[in-house]
Amino acid sequence: MKQPSGITAKTKMVIVKEAANNVIQTLKPNDRVGLVSFDKEAKTPSVPSTSHSCYGNELAFATKENTDELKQYIFTLNTGTTGDSNYEKALLAAFNYFHSSNNTLDNDNRVKVILFITDGKSTLGRNPVQVISEENAKLQNKIAIFTYLIGQDIDAQQQLTGMANQVLAIGPKPVGHFEDFNQNNQKLLSTKLATFYIHLPTSSQSEQSTFTVPYVDRFSEVGLITSLCRPVNVISFHGVMCTDVKISELLTEVEYFSEDEYSYAFMIDGLGRVLMHPLLPNAAFVKSTEDPVLVDIGVLEREVDAQSVIESMKSGGMGKKTLTKFFTKPRGKLVNDGSRDVSLTAYFYWGSIPQSNLSLCVVLVDESYSEIDESQFQLSDVDLPNVFMYHNISLLKDSFSDCKFYSRRVTSDRSSVKFSQSAFQNPFQYLDRDETAEDVTNYGNYLTRQKLTNPGFKTTLRSAVWATYKAEQYWKSHPARFVSWRYIGTKAGMIRIYPGVSLQKPYDHEKRAWWRQAMAHPNKMFLTTPYVDSWGSGIVLSLVHTIYKKGSTTVTAAVGADFPLEYFNWLFSSVYPTCNDVSYWCIIVDDSGFIVMHPRLKETTIESGFKEPKHITIEEPGIAKILKREGVLNSKECQDFSKNTNLRSFRVTMPVNKLGGLDFKDTDETFEIRPIAETNVFIIRRQTQPTTNCKCDSTSPDIVECSNQCECLCHSPIIYDVCSNKYNTGSASPPCSARLPDTSGVSQPDDTQGLTTCYVPKCHQKATKTDCFSELECSWCEYNDLLQQIATPCCRLKEECTFGKTKSQYRNTCAAPSTTTDKTSDEINAGQIGGIIGGSIAFGILLTLIMICGIKFFRSRNRNENADPYIEAIPDYELRQYREKEECSSTDSPPPPYQIQPAINHNFYVDSSPGHKV
């Protein structure tokens, strides 16, 4: 591209810039591009004008990052200072792109062309036709020359025509093109240049359909799309016919293929570019403002033995192969928890898709998911009609009584069932259309066997609905009013929630952090960090446990319950009374290093303080420093290709020689730490605060860039060849699992006007702390807001006091009977109260939690028998138990968490702890 000279040529320069920019916009990510500007000298993009030096000598893939850089560079160009132009230097610079990029080009399949734009003839240097002949001969005459003249200079016309025709070339040569633009049609240059491809030869055009590399349509906002194109031949090649297709719909079966936890499928094109892979962001949730992740399959499938599979797929072959590979799985929220890698024997089966440039590979493992046989569930004629109540009650009226539970309209008569897209044979049957009352009726008829017609569910769905109904039966018969929500989600694509409540349609439990965290911790009770319940029950923690199908080692479901943080704090203090000693601070952290319980949390009642979890490197940097020194807190990085960053997270694990934890002597007499058996958490008892000069930033790891000063949650850029889009995976960190799409489906407060509250919290009637915390909405008041001890502590509503301290407007609430206890009318009777809050689910989700029950404490292996591994946890028989018969249907056993073994229905499901069945 020549820079026209002088002030009068400025308009021409603007036209040329717009035309060049238009060409770049038409390119697809698999195309490659370079730029040369010239007057008497030739220049290519370089640092600092661009961010990457490779733009100056290497053809860059036309990814959004690269095209944005090059378009910005074009608009920084200025007009030349003289009227001279040197075609020789311009052509040498252009051909140099092909020479230096030769090793990374697919020479047989790519059409190569130089678009040469100028406003006059060459005045310096050798004959440009001779230069083209010599340089193109080095590339087997594969470069076509298209020349464009702004103006009507006769000498320039002849020179540019000779260049396009390559009149001095020896042997076969590609057909070129010349076009000039006079003063009246100069504005057409942009259009003509952007449609240069219509002049390319058509003899090599294939009859097969071609899918373009996925891209984001900025206008439709439907996620990633691809164009399916094929040539149209009418006598001779006439054009190209294309249709745009959503990647998520096109590859539905690939996206949702999963025979078990580890099996998956992926798809690539003939160049090895990935169209779909479980380690890439979900195509349906890519935003219009985001760039598509375009990587070679070798970046995600790194095993040496897998390379022969990839080469076969790229050439359109088919076959099968067995190899050992690392499966990358999520540990929860990627930014916080990172990923985990599991080595398993894998079975690869691949083949090409007929009449396309795509290939598909299915990866299986030995353990396959097995369906639950409906015949195992002998549901009575009374139970069968009750197994299904759809969550969206606005679509179909029912006879169940509604009540107000915090800010939500719920029913305590039933649990509600919600499906995710994976429950359907065609997932987008659910996602892309609004459900109707007729749909819900069809759902119910099939699930209750009133009709045989399947409305589109997978074969696993009905048996999962029937199986989870047993959880509802237990919830309703064993209520516990210190719990807010209970739920059970399955791999069949359904979740059951009690009390019955409506959820947002995008909500998908399998995409949520709690589900992925539970899947990453089978055989353990998983305890989340505190968070704000979007449904109004305040600051809560979730306890989640996995469930196996009986006779299988494959996790098939996860069950959970939500507890108020204040209740958990009280229960924690009851099990570990030494934590009430002012000489110590007791802290609980999870196995990613995030704070579950900390004395400072008791001082925080503002919900914004719980928006994001707190990490130990931020809250307790001194403790973190010692834990790193002792090999307990270890960092791990993975490559997040959605952001092109190395993402750092942490793991809390005990060294082999200190499995029972660290003593005070191990930590310079500052703290001790113990693992809580069969859970994901650890307890720390801090005696003195360790010091350190290191302080980590509390902002998101996506924002904090790693430094050499402190080892924190952070990221660092992936160093890769941005032009060739190649990554050096030899010594790199493993790939990250895909980021969670936003399927939170946060529900807005319901219209509860006219509803009575589901139950009456009689806080003022509770005389002891134990009894007080048996009510979800009650709090035990021991200090006023001035931190003065209350002579006679009392039980009041949370709106009056939290974490033992009264709020300022309720400073004297314990001096007289509460005036705010009547949150409901007296119209609610005991029968209505009975089943609202529910109790522990059938296999004892709460009852086996180590720190709540106090049955099992800390494991101490290979340690001194005289060392105290328990941090003075008291046995369960010393805990004061309470009985409230109106809250528990069985008078023979108290409600959780002190009930050791519930009445169990020995049937069909086994949780992932030995000895528990449901």
Side-chain angles (χ1 to χ4, degrees), residues 401 403 412-413 481 756-762 824-836 886:
S401 60
C403 57
S412 60
D413 295 344
R481 301 222 308 226
T756 55
T757 306
C758 292
Y759 73 98
V760 181
K762 301 178 181 179
T824 68
S825 68
D826 292 331
E827 297 175 1
I828 304 178
N829 57 41
Q832 289 174 302
I833 295 173
I836 302 298
E886 72 274 12

Side-chain angles (χ1 to χ4, degrees), residues 460-533:
T460 57
L461 191 279
R462 186 160 63 181
S463 56
V465 171
W466 291 359
T468 58
Y469 174 63
K470 294 183 178 295
E472 177 191 313
Q473 292 176 308
Y474 192 88
W475 290 332
K476 291 172 65 176
S477 63
H478 293 75
R481 301 222 308 226
F482 50 82
V483 184
S484 52
W485 308 99
R486 279 141 307 246
Y487 40 89
I488 179 170
T490 76
K491 284 192 172 182
M494 58 80 59
I495 184 170
R496 185 182 292 274
I497 304 168
Y498 186 82
V501 67
S502 179
L503 298 177
Q504 293 293 309
K505 186 176 182 179
Y507 184 90
D508 182 353
H509 63 279
E510 292 186 73
K511 298 292 192 296
R512 302 305 302 145
W514 65 265
W515 172 273
R516 295 194 172 193
Q517 288 166 332
M519 294 300 108
H521 296 80
N523 304 314
K524 290 185 178 181
M525 179 68 72
F526 188 88
L527 181 64
T528 70
T529 55
Y531 62 94
V532 179
D533 178 30

